[in-house]
Amino acid sequence: MTLETQDHPAMTAARAVERLRLAEARLARRRQTECGPSENARAAMRLILERADAEVTVTPTEIAQALDISTASVTGMLDRLRAGGLIDFVANPSDRRSKFVVPFDRGADPDAIDPVTARIREFALGLPDDTADQLAVFLDRVREVVDAECA
């Protein structure tokens, strides 16, 4: 059986990844207009929480650089996250012109920030260990291809 055969398991997996990519694109468009924080806001929250967990500070400029967006966009996004009670700002003790972004309530459920991730985690817990390992390797290779495109 060749890879070109439509019912080959490898082709089934490739088509499933393509359906996933299309669903992610649709979700990103819906989030921009219909439901909750944007994808950039969710990415910023993940970065802020990761830095807080590592006890490392993060500035709005660093967030802009990490997300590859303008500082003006980050300012508006952070203002909305602050208004929503998700972050706060603290003065940088070594540079009074600078501020750090910190999570407002570390007791908040991180799954509430991105419920899709929480559901995916639930599904992953049901996978046998060897299957989960193989799937992780496969998806990491797909991610590498996606990340390399137009880089």
Side-chain angles (χ1 to χ4, degrees):
M1 189 178 294
T2 66
L3 213 68
E4 290 79 27
T5 304
Q6 289 298 319
D7 59 352
H8 189 282
M11 290 303 297
T12 302
R15 284 192 304 274
V17 169
E18 185 57 27
R19 288 190 303 272
L20 173 62
R21 292 181 66 212
L22 293 170
E24 286 274 12
R26 288 190 302 270
L27 176 60
R29 286 190 300 273
R30 284 194 308 272
R31 283 181 171 169
Q32 287 176 343
T33 59
E34 300 170 16
C35 64
S38 68
E39 198 58 38
N40 278 337
R42 291 171 193 272
M45 279 305 307
R46 285 190 292 272
L47 177 64
I48 294 163
L49 292 170
E50 287 169 4
R51 293 284 181 93
D53 288 345
E55 298 181 3
V56 177
T57 58
V58 64
T59 66
T61 300
E62 291 170 328
I63 294 170
Q65 291 168 344
L67 300 181
D68 196 28
I69 59 177
S70 72
T71 54
S73 294
V74 167
T75 299
M77 176 181 58
L78 294 178
D79 287 344
R80 289 187 295 279
L81 289 173
R82 186 178 192 194
L86 295 173
I87 65 161
D88 202 1
F89 301 109
V90 296
N92 179 344
S94 62
D95 180 357
R96 293 176 33 164
R97 296 170 295 153
S98 176
K99 60 186 173 186
F100 295 129
V101 183
V102 296
F104 193 71
D105 179 8
R106 286 301 282 154
D109 180 7
D111 289 343
I113 295 168
D114 191 355
V116 172
T117 300
R119 295 289 310 276
I120 291 169
R121 202 174 299 121
E122 283 177 34
F123 300 150
L125 288 171
L127 292 172
D129 290 347
D130 62 332
T131 302
D133 289 341
Q134 291 173 357
L135 183 60
V137 168
F138 173 72
L139 291 175
D140 280 341
R141 290 179 70 194
V142 170
R143 180 196 43 79
E144 288 169 2
V145 169
V146 171
D147 284 346
E149 183 65 20
C150 297

